[in-house]
Amino acid sequence: MASKIFYLLLCFFARIHTSLSASKEVNLMESVPDLQKSMYVVIDGFPCVRLLNLTGEIGCSNPGREKVIAPIVRFKNADKLGKLSAILMSLHEFDNFFHRVSNDLNFARNVGGVLVESGTEIQNELKGFSPDEKFPQAEFSPYRNTSYQWNPFGSGIKRNNYNFPVFLLSESSTPTLKEAAIKNEGNEKASTLDVAEFDLVMQTTRTGTRNSESCLKEGTCLPLGGYSVWSALPPMNILSSESSKHIILAVASMDSASFFRDKNLGADSPISGLISLLVAVDALSRVEGLDKLGKQLVFIIFTGEAWGYLGSRRFLHELDQHSDAVSGLNSTLIDTVFEIGSVGKGFSHGTKSFFAHTTQVSAATNETLNALQLAQDSLQSSGIKISTANALNPGIPPSSLMAFMRKNSQTSGVVLEDFDSVFTNQFYYSHLDDLSNINSSAIVAAASLVARTLYILANDNKDFDTSALKSINVNASLVEELMGCLLNCEPGLSCGLVNHYISPTTTCPSNYAGVLLGEPSSTPYPGYIGNVPRFLWNFLADKTSISLENAGFSCPKNCSETNQLCIRSEADGKGVCVLSTTRYVPAYSTRLKFESESWKVLAPNSSDPLGMVDPVWTESNWDVIGLRMYTKQDASYDRLVLLAGLTVTILAYLAIEIVRSLISKALKQD
């Protein structure tokens, strides 16, 4: 009897061993990452992050120190949230959702996170979408009518504080989350639900530093900013004791600001203006005799303009301080500021239409308007029309020129835009302001207009050869190339033009200003400078340069004379030495000072009116940002499984005791 029972047990364990061996390849995980991959689906997305100023916070963050885990539900089916939920919504529902969050606290407290869908047809379906204000950055306006609505589609959502994570889903991830939400709706009583796990823990939230001054003091944030770039054509002799020429300052911006940090192209506003200026510089660089013109052309491309005009305000401050970053420039010699704003939508019914917004009636302003008219006349066959903006407008639109006017109300300037009284860009400062939102023909036309206008202005009202003016033609293919490099992931920053000058760290461009790393400098460490500013510095230094015949291959060592610069060193490791007046200018708040390896907020100064209203924007640090999805069992189901497990354990123990007793009796009988 005992031998028979022993034989049966032996067969039983042998069968288990065979079964385990057969399924070894299926069940054996080689590593913890393999196990995680089988459990979790990593979701591609673009986060809204936490930003701070002197009075508080805006943007998004997990509410505490832990990840947020919540079942996925669709907003249209979430009239009442009975528990913490991850809300999936389309952009059509975006404004309504955030309006409800602001007005329904019971609803808001059960919002665990937000997932915003992406789609290729969304621009055609929406009349407009702009999370910025109706008068962007009105506090910096040089005039009093700050209730004017330049941006009629502005909702102001971007300027609010949300204590829950928000992600814009990629186009590839959107169907996955939709499927999960629909599955959850069909399995409301099931034991499992698909949940989203949000990892958007900001250090400022973790440490309780809720404004810029406290977070800078504790080192949990960094100031918004970066590096602007300026260049002179032709190069300036900064050591000359002769009186310098008066300056025509051509201005553009390189940064935008959407609700989502890394989905930030700003195709029309402001990159269309940037591309126009770059193409105009390229055209002017091929003109002979610029050194004989009466005035000096200076180009400057600001960053940080979307956050309190950081670039232009810091530039003006550096001019006052006569710093190395602006060596060779004198603010008293700037005759006029000619800014190229949003020009990518200036195309209607075959006509390229642009509007000149002016500061005030002055001789310099009239000269700029006359130059624009002469440039238009010389381009008659191109179908370009330039008009003066409506006199009923309260003043110039939101632009860098505002900072110049607040610094000096007598500043003469003109802003070239593709709109008259309100923005034509219905996606202003949103992630939808992408390549599909602009027209390359409009940018080519604007570049042509800018190049010839600048040439006329630099001529200083002297008679000029009309044939010389008509010979200034822009490279239309360069417009297309720059659009592909700066506004698309394919080819993006891996395009041939960018790679001719630098080795970019990423492929997909993002025109968010970012944060300023390290100590501000006119010769910053390249690793602290973004891809786009580095490209612009090299491009402008090249186009405005005079080549040196005896330049060596290892130009960083042999390129040490005044105004000698080494360009393209990133691209080929050797570089080329050229003679050029091209500089980096740090862009950060005038209320900040870097000392002893940390940032300090300066007290307001009544002599700096813009500093008095400066928010001092900073961005919270973080360790990891992530979003993933997995299937989670209901807690009651888990308790049931635990109870079943305990029951099986008890029954197994009883079975063992019974078998042991039977074996013991059988052995005694033998």
Side-chain angles (χ1 to χ4, degrees):
M1 180 68 179
S3 59
K4 189 180 291 185
I5 292 174
F6 178 76
Y7 176 76
L8 290 172
L9 288 173
L10 191 62
C11 290
F12 174 74
F13 285 115
R15 185 167 183 176
I16 289 177
H17 177 74
T18 303
S19 176
L20 288 173
S21 298
S23 61
K24 183 177 181 180
E25 291 184 5
V26 177
N27 296 321
L28 183 62
M29 295 292 175
E30 293 183 358
S31 63
V32 172
D34 287 341
L35 178 61
Q36 289 180 328
K37 287 180 181 179
S38 68
M39 294 174 60
Y40 301 101
V41 178
V42 176
I43 303 299
D44 293 327
F46 307 91
C48 158
V49 300
R50 173 68 76 226
L51 300 178
L52 306 94
N53 55 35
L54 291 178
T55 59
E57 303 169 301
I58 68 168
C60 316
S61 172
N62 281 20
R65 302 182 178 187
E66 305 298 330
K67 298 176 182 178
V68 174
I69 301 171
I72 304 162
V73 300
R74 289 189 290 181
F75 178 55
K76 64 181 181 181
N77 295 329
D79 291 335
K80 293 183 180 179
L81 293 180
K83 60 182 179 181
L84 197 67
S85 302
I87 311 296
L88 177 68
M89 70 180 70
S90 69
L91 271 179
H92 299 89
E93 302 167 310
F94 195 87
D95 288 353
N96 289 337
F97 168 80
F98 282 101
H99 179 75
R100 183 171 178 184
V101 164
S102 300
N103 294 282
D104 187 346
L105 295 180
N106 290 327
F107 177 81
R109 67 170 54 101
N110 281 321
V111 175
V114 177
L115 303 163
V116 183
E117 300 169 4
S118 289
T120 55
E121 299 298 323
I122 192 68
Q123 279 104 326
N124 298 328
E125 297 171 0
L126 288 172
K127 291 182 178 179
F129 176 79
S130 174
D132 211 332
E133 298 162 314
K134 294 187 183 298
F135 190 144
Q137 307 194 85
E139 63 269 29
F140 294 98
S141 170
Y143 46 85
R144 294 181 179 179
N145 184 4
T146 56
S147 61
Y148 188 81
Q149 296 186 9
W150 288 104
N151 183 25
F153 289 105
S155 63
I157 288 172
K158 187 181 73 175
R159 299 287 177 163
N160 295 332
N161 175 25
Y162 303 105
N163 288 314
F164 49 78
V166 182
F167 280 81
L168 172 69
L169 301 173
S170 67
E171 288 187 23
S172 60
S173 294
T174 295
T176 303
L177 273 297
K178 280 185 174 181
E179 184 180 335
I182 294 170
K183 176 184 171 185
N184 284 347
E185 290 165 9
N187 297 332
E188 290 183 359
K189 297 182 179 180
S191 59
T192 61
L193 288 173
D194 286 342
V195 299
E197 180 187 87
F198 299 89
D199 191 354
L200 193 67
V201 179
M202 300 283 110
Q203 284 191 18
T204 52
T205 304
R206 184 180 294 166
T207 59
T209 48
R210 302 290 184 174
N211 60 56
S212 288
E213 188 164 13
S214 62
C215 73
L216 288 171
K217 184 177 180 180
E218 295 298 324
T220 58
C221 66
L222 286 170
L224 290 189
Y227 286 92
S228 303
V229 180
W230 72 271
S231 187
L233 181 68
M236 303 168 69
N237 186 357
I238 62 174
L239 298 180
S240 174
S241 59
E242 299 177 6
S243 60
S244 300
K245 293 180 179 180
H246 282 244
I247 294 170
I248 305 299
L249 188 64
V251 174
S253 299
M254 69 174 87
D255 72 296
S256 182
S258 82
F259 190 84
F260 304 101
R261 185 188 191 276
D262 299 316
K263 191 69 170 176
N264 218 326
L265 293 174
D268 185 42
S269 309
I271 303 302
S272 63
L274 165 62
I275 293 174
S276 293
L277 182 58
L278 294 179
V279 175
V281 172
D282 173 67
L284 289 168
S285 70
R286 297 190 294 272
V287 177
E288 298 290 337
L290 288 179
D291 56 328
K292 296 180 175 63
L293 297 181
K295 294 184 180 181
Q296 176 73 52
L297 290 175
V298 174
F299 315 102
I300 185 159
I301 302 169
F302 293 123
T303 192
E305 296 301 272
W307 301 100
Y309 301 113
L310 294 175
S312 51
R313 289 174 47 227
R314 174 53 62 174
F315 171 72
L316 292 169
H317 180 77
E318 298 292 319
L319 282 175
D320 288 344
Q321 300 297 314
H322 304 288
S323 72
D324 290 342
V326 291
S327 177
L329 293 180
N330 186 334
S331 60
T332 62
L333 295 177
I334 298 175
D335 273 3
T336 191
V337 179
F338 182 32
E339 181 169 358
I340 301 88
S342 305
V343 295
K345 298 180 76 66
F347 186 83
S348 177
H349 305 294
T351 301
K352 295 91 172 180
S353 300
F354 304 101
F355 295 87
H357 299 257
T358 63
T359 52
Q360 57 187 3
V361 177
S362 69
T365 300
N366 288 336
E367 284 178 14
T368 305
L369 292 176
N370 290 336
L372 280 166
Q373 187 62 51
L374 287 171
Q376 174 195 287
D377 293 343
S378 71
L379 292 163
Q380 285 181 350
S381 61
S382 301
I384 299 173
K385 180 182 179 182
I386 181 74
S387 306
T388 303
N390 195 325
L392 296 178
N393 290 351
I396 59 172
S399 57
S400 301
L401 188 53
M402 282 187 167
F404 285 82
M405 288 194 68
R406 286 294 296 269
K407 178 72 175 179
N408 179 4
S409 61
Q410 300 305 308
T411 299
S412 296
V414 172
V415 186
L416 186 68
E417 302 277 9
D418 56 15
F419 61 87
D420 185 1
S421 297
V422 297
F423 294 169
T424 55
N425 182 8
Q426 68 272 39
F427 302 125
Y428 180 83
Y429 278 9
S430 84
H431 67 281
L432 298 181
D433 188 10
D434 59 17
L435 196 59
S436 66
N437 195 40
I438 56 176
N439 186 292
S440 61
S441 297
I443 298 177
V444 171
S448 301
L449 197 62
V450 169
R452 295 191 181 189
T453 299
L454 289 174
Y455 179 80
I456 295 168
L457 290 172
N459 199 61
D460 196 17
N461 284 329
K462 297 177 182 177
D463 292 335
F464 58 86
D465 186 357
T466 305
S467 61
L469 181 64
K470 291 185 176 181
S471 70
I472 302 174
N473 295 305
V474 301
N475 183 353
S477 64
L478 180 59
V479 171
E480 297 286 351
E481 190 172 11
L482 284 166
M483 288 171 63
C485 295
L486 300 178
L487 296 172
N488 207 350
C489 287
E490 295 179 2
L493 297 176
S494 64
C495 69
L497 179 61
V498 172
N499 278 269
H500 179 65
Y501 292 108
I502 68 168
S503 297
T505 55
T506 58
T507 298
C508 286
S510 175
N511 296 318
Y512 173 63
V515 294
L516 190 62
L517 300 172
E519 182 176 5
S521 170
S522 59
T523 55
Y525 170 62
Y528 290 165
I529 313 170
N531 291 319
V532 173
R534 293 201 326 278
F535 163 67
L536 294 176
W537 183 90
N538 278 272
F539 181 91
L540 290 175
D542 184 19
K543 297 298 181 181
T544 63
S545 68
I546 299 173
S547 298
L548 299 176
E549 294 181 1
N550 299 322
F553 287 107
S554 56
C555 72
K557 295 180 180 178
N558 301 324
C559 198
S560 56
E561 298 295 325
T562 302
N563 266 7
Q564 288 186 4
L565 299 176
C566 182
I567 63 172
R568 306 207 309 260
S569 59
E570 280 187 54
D572 59 11
K574 298 176 181 178
V576 177
C577 193
V578 297
L579 185 67
S580 175
T581 310
T582 303
R583 306 275 188 273
Y584 285 114
V585 185
Y588 61 99
S589 170
T590 56
R591 290 279 306 276
L592 290 177
K593 183 178 182 180
F594 188 86
E595 61 181 13
S596 302
E597 300 301 316
S598 64
W599 291 96
K600 292 179 174 58
V601 177
L602 302 175
N605 187 339
S606 58
S607 65
D608 179 16
L610 288 179
M612 300 287 287
V613 296
D614 187 350
V616 187
W617 290 109
T618 56
E619 181 184 84
S620 175
N621 299 336
W622 62 79
D623 294 325
V624 177
I625 290 180
L627 174 63
R628 59 185 184 177
M629 183 189 77
Y630 61 93
T631 301
K632 182 181 179 182
Q633 294 183 151
D634 186 71
S636 59
Y637 181 79
D638 289 341
R639 288 192 288 270
L640 181 62
V641 170
L642 176 61
L643 180 61
L646 290 173
T647 302
V648 169
T649 301
I650 293 170
L651 291 175
Y653 176 77
L654 293 175
I656 289 170
E657 290 298 320
I658 292 171
V659 170
R660 182 184 294 171
S661 176
L662 291 173
I663 292 174
S664 179
K665 289 181 180 180
L667 290 173
K668 287 180 181 180
Q669 289 177 1
D670 289 344

